[in-house]
Amino acid sequence: MLLIDCPHCGPRDETEFHAGGEAHIARPEKAAELTDAQWADYLFMRSNTKGWFAERWVHAAGCRRWFNVERHTVTHEIRRTYPMAGAPTEPEEGP
Amino acid sequence: MTATRPANLRAPPVRARGGDWVDDTRPIAVSFDGRAYTGLAGDTLASALLANGVRVVGRSLKYHRPRGILSAGFEEPNALVQLGKGAHSEPNALATRVEIYDGMTATSVNRWPSLSHDVFAAFGLLARFMPAGFYYKTFLGSRVLWDRLYEPFLRRMAGFGRAPVGADPENYDQRHLQCDVLVVGGGVAGLASARAACASGARVVLIEDNPELAAGLAASPAKEWIDVAIGVVKQDATVLTRTTVFGAYDAGYFAALQRASDHLPQEARAGVRQRLWLIRAKQVVLATGAIERPLVFPNNDRPGVYLAGAARAYLDRFGVLVGRNVVAFTNNDETYATVIALKKAGAAIAAIVDVRANLTGGAVALAKHEGIRVLEGYVVVDVRGRSAVRGVTIAALDGGRREKIACDALLMSGGWSPAVHLFSQQGGKLIYDPGMAAFVPDRRPADPWCAGALCGETGVDAAITGGWRAGSSAATALGKPAPRGLTAELPDEPKGDAPLAFWRVPVAPSAERKCFIDFQNDSTLADVSLAVREGFTHPEHVKRYTLTGFGTDQGKTGNINALGNIAERTGGDLARLAPTTFRPPFLPVTFGALAGREKGALLDPVRVTALHDWHVAAGAAFENVGQWKRPWYYPKDGETLDQAVTRECLAVRNNVGILDASTLGKIEIVGADAAAFLNRVYTNAWSKLGVGRSRYGLMCREDGMLFDDGTTTRLAPDRFLMTTTTGNAAAVLDWLEEWLQTEWPDLKVYCTSVTDHWSTIALAGPRAREVLQCLAPGTALDAENFPFMSYQEVVVAGVAARVFRISFTGELSFEINVPWHDARHVWEAAITAGAAFGITPYGTEAMHVLRAEKGYPIIGQDTDGTVTPLDLGMAWAVSTKKDFLGKRSLARPDTARPDRKQFVGLLTSDPSRVIPEGAQIVSESNIADVRLPQSSPVPMEGHVTSSYFSAVLGRSIALALVRDGFRRTGETVYAVADGHAIAARIGPTVFYDPDGTRRDG
Amino acid sequence: MDRVVQGQGPLGDDPPMFADLAAHGLTVSVVPPLGQINLRGLDHEIAQAVAAACNGLDVTGPTNRCVAAGASWSLCLGPDEWLLVVPKHDTNDTARDLAAGLAGKHASIVDVSSNRIALDVGGPKAVSLFSSLTSLDISDLGPDRCVQTMLAKAQVIIHPLAAPTTYRVFLRPSYARHLADVIVDATRFL
Amino acid sequence: MQRFSAFALLAKSLGGHQGWSRQWRLATPKDAYDVVIVGGGGHGLATAYYLARNHGITNVAVLEKGWLGGGNVARNTTIVRSNYLWDESAALYEHSLKLWEDLSQDLNYNVMLSQRGVLNLAHSLQEVRDSRRRVYANQLNGVDAEWLDRGGVKVFCPLINTDESLRYPVLGATLQRRAGTARHDAVAWGFARAADSRGVDIVENCEVTGFDIQGGRVTGVQTTRGAIRAPKVAIVVAGHGSVMAERAGFRLPLESHPLQALVSEPIKPVLDCVVMSNAVHVYVSQSDKGELVIGAGIDSYNSYAQRGSLPVVTSQLGALIALFPMFSRLKMMRNWGGIVDVSPDASPIVGKTPIDGLYFNGGWGTGGFKATPGSGHIFAHTIAHEDPHPLAAPFNLDRFSTGALVDEHGAAAVAH
């Protein structure tokens, strides 16, 4: 069972959170101008990374705030949680 | 209780003296296979049976060979019994773990008609025709025979115990624990670890599977140190005994099962049978010990062949001698101490057969000094005696002389395998240690600390030192001070000879069928050889092909021997063969304990409204809507669903009805950008909505498919109240918060759920206004002052209420919102005031019919996640100017197709026929092809989403999603269901009061 | 306009189902209706105004901090969210004062007095009750800190009003009966 | 290939079974093949088999990173059925079920297909609507399906607790009698043996580390055992589809999640059908070994670890005990996880990729096992003809741009 460090409430069991999937996928500003393929990329295509993965979680049973988590999708180790506005760790920084 | 008492004279094995665990002043009566036996308090079922001379306790799975007790603990593959009777029964209990109590009844399993006369033992004779995986190679002739004969027979043969009959009468509890250091294993090493961690001020939890800490070490030279340690630890740490840590999960999360009262007689069990402990530990020390393994030789499965360590345990703990004339077969020194202990307890030792040659160590010397015959470089090549060992045949490894030796028990030891299960479960890597001839933890920084036999620290001295080191490392890793050094003063143990990796006694291929590797599943050396011969060389392949390790013991004794022999057979290096993955649980765990209290009525919360008790008193039938209980209909004196719904519908159409709509989601949306926010989440526009006015809105996911709908009202320029469907209340709030927090933090908007705060009472029907007027005298409620789709704050029955003039029935309707605590008062006031107007409470079913008569869709019933607002014919509610969530998706080629499945009304040509909901639509041109059962598919045009008999219209009505439906108005199609094809005409979705005069009046 | 009748919460005022718990070392009682206001805003923008408007009510962070002001409490539920717990009869006045004080600021004031009810859980077994219903260790929490979590499957706010004698549990009334059942079930084994 | 039969078994028995030879060759990779299949799981091996059997393409290599059949084909709950809602799905899975029914004879390997019937329970009025809708659609699609009311459920499976007092009472169920279970490992081994006997090279311990692509066309693969040339390469790697796609330079709409399953200790036969419930999240059957085989939903987070979290297990057992109170005292013997690649519409992706000559088959989510023969069959056709098999056509990658999804999620159809 994952232990997720909510930036506001502290470490809690995974069951208090909802997973929000891949982080840092910005909604296109001018959706109307995108091709169907470009829109599909935003809508459906995912990196589904094996390794260090930036994802969004919301502390549903707690403060109900969304935040970002960097978690390893093989070991499940969590090395970082940071606010929505934050930037992901550069790949070379990760082991 | 070590006071010795005279050995009784029953056939061996016999109770030689008291043991550490048993109280020889308290006899306990148990029954096994209907026969009464007497054991002692503290006995396991196994030790009690052994003390009574019982040898055969079960039958093996495949060949039904008679099997005896092999071990003294959780690794037992043979001694499975059915415990207790009826609903209290437990299948596949391990006799070697079950603590006896007065009146315990146990029966053997997998035999018929009886343990001693098992007709299926005939399979033993057919063994040669049933090698590993034989079923893959045969039963291929006829599908019918496979279905009707072969498979049913195979199934009948499968399994050991039987599922209990009836619901489980006992209770299970769950607890959470948090600690600095979790120590798994209460042996000497675990004790030392716990003591060290406590000494440095850490919050420690120590968990031991046995009833006692340091089980069976009363005779140990470290007895004194142990007693002190137990005292200290019991004081400073949380100690759980009879508790098995069975699972290691992410981030220091461990699960353990405590056998709270399984050891007590039925009547003495207080409340909880078993308790599940869920533990989050910052640091972990594993001191899980090691498991002794059998040697692989012909008939090594005979009753009377024991693991050497088990023989020692039965003696020390229970005072039971497993034999009076004993042969030991080993590859290591530990066995010698055991044999000497047995000798001292009165057993004759016929010989120690050691695969090793030229032994020089202290253990051997000691044995020889005791006058024990030691045969070095010898092996056991056969065991005589079918249901009880009568003797063994030994032979020199170099192929030299053979000899028959009479004995009544054979002890075997193939060395020790560290219990790496938990270490491996949480991702730890294993490495092969040639010195120990075993796989040991290859500890990395993030892994748990290891101590004791788990990492080869054998002997009490090494265990204490290693345990202390691990415990203090765990504590200091948390920044605690290092504990003051404290170890035991112990005599040095004599230098010994190293164990020798020895995976099988060399025998002729024909004899391999009798060399058992997995005792429970009857997989033998021959099976492993065959698997390898057929190309199954990966351990996982061998495991799956031979079923080695698939039993209730999960291969605790057999897997390593399988691995060793795979390595030999493939000429591979054992060090390069990874053991098959260790999975939770370490030991089988009761389903009921895992489920805890979240089962039965508590499986999921029941949510009720403030008016629930009134509905119950009114005799309502309830419908589950998500977690909510909603009144479905209110049957009056024996009415059927249809009769009640008809009455309720007509009451609304002709007089006035009252509905508890409290379960609707309600979200207060506040802020300068509230309207702009609604513009983005709803498909329609909100900026121009006036204060005090309501509007219907549709929400899409980004894929353009409908997600939710509802009316939202502007309470103030910067304040809206949004309503959602009952089922989506939480999802919609999450959805809004997600967009506000993740994508549009710049918007000045706050959302607050007020679903539970406001109870919603809907008055609907031509006389609704009159009823409300009685409750709110002096408030102008006429269409002029309180028009349709508007809102006012009104004092209703003396309560400040928010009243919305919105309608889901198509009738004149007011939705009165009051705080939870006032709802019952207002509802009852309405019922009283409404009596004069024939007010009638109506439930969700009537509501569904009424809205269907008006063609209002229900998201989730008339839509299924593949429907857009345009498909519903609601282009009027889809803005072409602004952007909104999901808009771009509506422009995709397939989503923009003009001939998508679209929302239409259906009128059956026979007005009395009500189409079954879910019926599939088939066009006139294809209806002839419908011939159920269908050999080839018939094109389907869509399906019926809602269908009812409309009392007010005196005919059936239906709503459907039909391909290209908008352009097919007037066309006759067929609704096919239950073998009928019902003709119906496509038309508009609004069946009643199309111009809405009733609603707006 | 205030209520004219004293309505009942989902558990009534003194549910008999809690009566037997005392024997197991647990006391559970239903708190009479409280005034509750959900306040949203950024503390550096609103804290002063709120303190001024509502006799010193403190709405600064961090999340889960609880501060008393006279008979009232402010529970910080998130970086920009507070639950103000005030005497029932003060609810409307407080809301009005807040509105006045925060006029023109980006803030949200919503009366949620009936959105949650409160139970007071105490007695020697209170902590072990929580340990059987939540993975959170609340044993060393004081009145200055609350936690938002799940008890069984009900979302709650636990405020150790006077730990360990009184843990005030806020929860949605629609879940109250479920949680009451769970508490009674769990108490059998404490 | 040594033919398997009762007679062969008898004959070999006399020789102490020394006479059996490898079920498939220990192949070392050649430098070039006509088709390279990446992934030695059920679907990959089936693809190789049908390439050889139906299209005469035998110069084929199946490259497996680890041990053959070690992925999801070894970890699933072995349920086989075809009662899907949408026409495209029903056609595909029914095609597969028909192949299942003759598979043991076709492969000369007993895959122990056991058509004991699958019940999909309905616990709410809306689930009843959805279930009946699916039954009516199945019937017109030529898929055997029945609707049972509560009484009918009790008759078909007396063990199920149909008591009104259940938190979510059983209101009825759909029944597909031809559905059931099969022995998962045997499927992989049977396909491997049959493909091998037709000349296919099965290479274990050979991981594909990259794809050789020239001018938008695949020319071969890089592996841990050297480069291998091939004009056609097929990716069939279940949970790792996205990883392979990244190496080939295109993106997929997939997310990998843990899917857990567990078995009870073996007990004497007591449950004679497969029971599935979406509302309370559990499905269960009893294997020929006597174990109850139990599964539930996926863990919510992305993961490539073949393990999940305990709460998923505890809640599914709560549901199990609600439906089968008598199972409460049974014990969980083993709990494991697989990696499932879930697509946005819970339907697979089978067909061409943006790179010429490179084909993809994946996204089966939680329901891949039942499709094994059908998937291999239509994928082989697609590769051989360089054009999608009619049954595969709707499951192309383009649908995520056009919006023509086959939304088994949205349609609230049952997974697994």
Side-chain angles (χ1 to χ4, degrees), chain D residues 156-198:
Chain D
F156 187 79
C157 185
L159 241 51
I160 297 179
N161 177 9
T162 53
D163 194 299
E164 290 266 9
S165 68
L166 261 180
R167 175 64 187 90
Y168 296 109
V170 175
L171 303 183
T174 69
L175 167 62
Q176 183 177 26
R177 294 184 189 270
R178 285 166 57 239
T181 60
R183 178 81 172 89
H184 53 5
D185 290 327
V187 177
W189 302 338
F191 273 120
R193 172 168 166 271
D196 169 88
S197 73
R198 286 172 168 76

Side-chain angles (χ1 to χ4, degrees), chain D residues 87-415:
Chain D
D87 302 349
E88 301 85 345
S89 314
L92 170 56
Y93 290 102
E94 178 61 19
H95 174 62
S96 191
L97 182 52
K98 289 207 168 75
L99 290 170
W100 272 112
E101 287 173 323
D102 297 313
L103 198 59
S104 293
Q105 286 68 30
D106 186 21
L107 297 179
N108 180 233
Y109 208 100
N110 188 354
V111 299
M112 304 175 85
L113 177 69
S114 180
Q115 294 175 287
R116 47 192 59 259
V118 170
L119 284 176
N120 295 106
L121 304 180
H123 299 265
S124 72
L125 296 175
Q126 186 54 45
E127 267 199 308
V128 170
R129 284 187 201 97
D130 295 335
S131 304
R132 298 178 61 135
R133 171 191 177 190
R134 183 160 44 80
V135 165
Y136 300 142
N138 288 163
Q139 289 170 343
L140 289 176
N141 270 324
V143 175
D144 78 297
E146 300 161 48
W147 167 254
L148 305 181
D149 62 12
R150 179 178 302 178
V153 172
K154 195 71 182 168
V155 170
F156 187 79
C157 185
L159 241 51
I160 297 179
N161 177 9
T162 53
D163 194 299
E164 290 266 9
S165 68
L166 261 180
R167 175 64 187 90
Y168 296 109
V170 175
L171 303 183
T174 69
L175 167 62
Q176 183 177 26
R177 294 184 189 270
R178 285 166 57 239
T181 60
R183 178 81 172 89
H184 53 5
D185 290 327
V187 177
W189 302 338
F191 273 120
R193 172 168 166 271
D196 169 88
S197 73
R198 286 172 168 76
V200 172
D201 281 356
I202 294 164
V203 186
E204 295 180 79
N205 306 309
C206 178
E207 180 177 6
V208 170
T209 54
F211 296 82
D212 299 327
I213 296 163
Q214 288 163 12
R217 173 150 200 92
V218 71
T219 61
V221 294
Q222 297 294 325
T223 81
T224 50
R225 296 175 67 173
I228 301 173
R229 281 178 284 107
K232 293 180 181 179
V233 176
I235 300 173
V236 202
V237 294
H240 281 71
S242 303
V243 176
M244 284 296 149
E246 190 191 8
R247 290 175 188 169
F250 65 99
R251 272 159 71 77
L252 287 170
L254 297 177
E255 292 193 286
S256 297
H257 291 266
L259 175 64
Q260 299 187 69
L262 64 95
V263 292
S264 75
E265 292 184 336
I267 53 170
K268 290 296 174 191
V270 57
L271 179 62
D272 201 34
C273 63
V274 183
V275 178
M276 310 177 74
S277 169
N278 261 32
V280 297
H281 271 100
V282 70
Y283 51 97
V284 58
S285 64
Q286 184 170 19
S287 76
D288 286 351
K289 295 208 296 286
E291 307 156 330
L292 294 180
V293 184
I294 299 161
I298 59 173
D299 283 70
S300 65
Y301 48 81
N302 285 31
S303 172
Y304 286 89
Q306 286 171 325
R307 64 173 196 278
S309 298
L310 185 60
V312 174
V313 171
T314 54
S315 62
Q316 91 194 52
L317 289 174
L320 178 80
I321 293 169
L323 291 173
F324 301 92
M326 64 183 298
F327 289 166
S328 169
R329 295 172 80 88
L330 303 185
K331 303 185 214 92
M332 173 170 82
M333 183 171 78
R334 192 169 64 258
N335 169 214
W336 67 93
I339 309 166
V340 298
D341 46 354
V342 180
S343 70
D345 57 359
S347 288
I349 299 164
V350 182
K352 299 184 169 186
T353 69
I355 293 127
D356 291 342
L358 185 62
Y359 300 83
F360 183 84
N361 181 348
W364 293 92
T366 57
F369 178 69
K370 69 176 74 67
T372 306
S375 162
H377 185 274
I378 62 172
F379 195 42
H381 178 285
T382 303
I383 296 165
H385 295 263
E386 301 179 14
D387 191 42
H389 183 286
L391 291 179
F395 298 97
N396 60 59
L397 194 48
D398 296 340
R399 73 181 189 267
F400 298 99
S401 298
T402 64
L405 304 187
V406 186
D407 197 344
E408 291 291 345
H409 266 323
V414 287

Side-chain angles (χ1 to χ4, degrees), chain B residues 87-93 110 128-129 131 134-140 143 146 151 154-164 166-168 170 172 249-250 255 273 278 509 530 533-536 538 540-541 544-545 547 550-552 554 583-585 588-592 594-595 598-601 603-606 623-624 626-627 629 632 848 860-861 864-866 892-895 901 916-920 922 930 932 934 936-938 940 943 945 976-978, chain D residues 4-6 9-10 13-14 16-24 67-69 74-75 86-87 101-102 104-105 108-110 112-116 123-126 129 132-133 136-137 139-142 167-169 183-186 189 204 262-272 280 286-292 294 301 306-308 310 313-315 317-322 325-337 400-404 407 410-411:
Chain B
H88 278 94
S89 182
E90 177 189 348
N92 304 342
N110 197 44
R128 61 159 54 198
F129 306 114
F134 73 94
Y135 30 77
Y136 300 134
K137 295 174 177 159
T138 180
F139 309 130
L140 288 162
R143 262 174 58 191
W146 166 252
E151 203 210 8
L154 284 181
R155 284 179 79 83
R156 168 131 200 261
M157 289 294 99
F160 288 97
R162 300 189 176 279
D168 191 340
E170 295 194 90
Y172 302 88
Y249 303 89
D250 294 317
R273 178 193 173 204
L278 300 167
L530 174 63
R533 192 175 304 127
E534 294 193 80
F536 295 95
H538 190 286
E540 282 282 359
H541 281 152
R544 290 160 181 277
Y545 194 65
L547 300 188
F550 270 97
T552 59
Q554 291 289 288
R583 302 284 186 191
V589 186
T590 312
F591 283 169
L594 287 164
E598 280 170 14
K599 54 181 185 250
L603 179 66
D604 205 37
V606 173
E623 173 190 8
N624 284 315
Q627 292 177 325
K629 289 281 180 193
W632 186 17
H848 285 186
Q861 175 173 344
D864 62 9
T866 68
R892 296 174 301 176
D894 185 80
T895 322
K901 287 179 181 171
E917 286 172 341
Q920 295 294 317
V922 176
V930 175
L932 300 175
Q934 210 64 37
S936 64
V938 179
M940 288 169 257
H943 78 286
T945 60
V976 181
D978 304 325
Chain D
F4 287 166
S5 70
L9 186 71
L10 201 63
S13 301
L14 305 177
H17 298 284
Q18 302 297 312
W20 295 108
S21 55
R22 298 185 61 97
Q23 294 198 1
W24 56 86
W67 46 283
L68 180 144
R75 300 167 192 281
W86 300 111
D87 302 349
E101 287 173 323
D102 297 313
S104 293
Q105 286 68 30
N108 180 233
Y109 208 100
N110 188 354
M112 304 175 85
L113 177 69
S114 180
Q115 294 175 287
R116 47 192 59 259
H123 299 265
S124 72
L125 296 175
Q126 186 54 45
R129 284 187 201 97
R132 298 178 61 135
R133 171 191 177 190
Y136 300 142
Q139 289 170 343
L140 289 176
N141 270 324
R167 175 64 187 90
Y168 296 109
R183 178 81 172 89
H184 53 5
D185 290 327
W189 302 338
E204 295 180 79
L262 64 95
V263 292
S264 75
E265 292 184 336
I267 53 170
K268 290 296 174 191
V270 57
L271 179 62
D272 201 34
V280 297
Q286 184 170 19
S287 76
D288 286 351
K289 295 208 296 286
E291 307 156 330
L292 294 180
I294 299 161
Y301 48 81
Q306 286 171 325
R307 64 173 196 278
L310 185 60
V313 171
T314 54
S315 62
L317 289 174
L320 178 80
I321 293 169
M326 64 183 298
F327 289 166
S328 169
R329 295 172 80 88
L330 303 185
K331 303 185 214 92
M332 173 170 82
M333 183 171 78
R334 192 169 64 258
N335 169 214
W336 67 93
F400 298 99
S401 298
T402 64
D407 197 344

Side-chain angles (χ1 to χ4, degrees), chain B residues 92-104:
Chain B
N92 304 342
L94 290 184
T96 51
R97 265 167 79 75
V98 171
E99 299 172 65
I100 62 169
Y101 50 77
D102 263 313
M104 168 179 284

Side-chain angles (χ1 to χ4, degrees), chain B residues 970-985:
Chain B
E971 178 180 334
T972 294
V973 292
Y974 292 84
V976 181
D978 304 325
H980 304 288
I982 304 169
R985 207 179 73 260

Side-chain angles (χ1 to χ4, degrees), chain B residues 877-893:
Chain B
V878 179
S879 166
T880 51
K881 303 184 190 65
K882 51 140 195 168
D883 187 22
F884 56 83
L885 295 179
K887 183 175 190 178
R888 174 62 182 82
S889 289
L890 297 176
R892 296 174 301 176

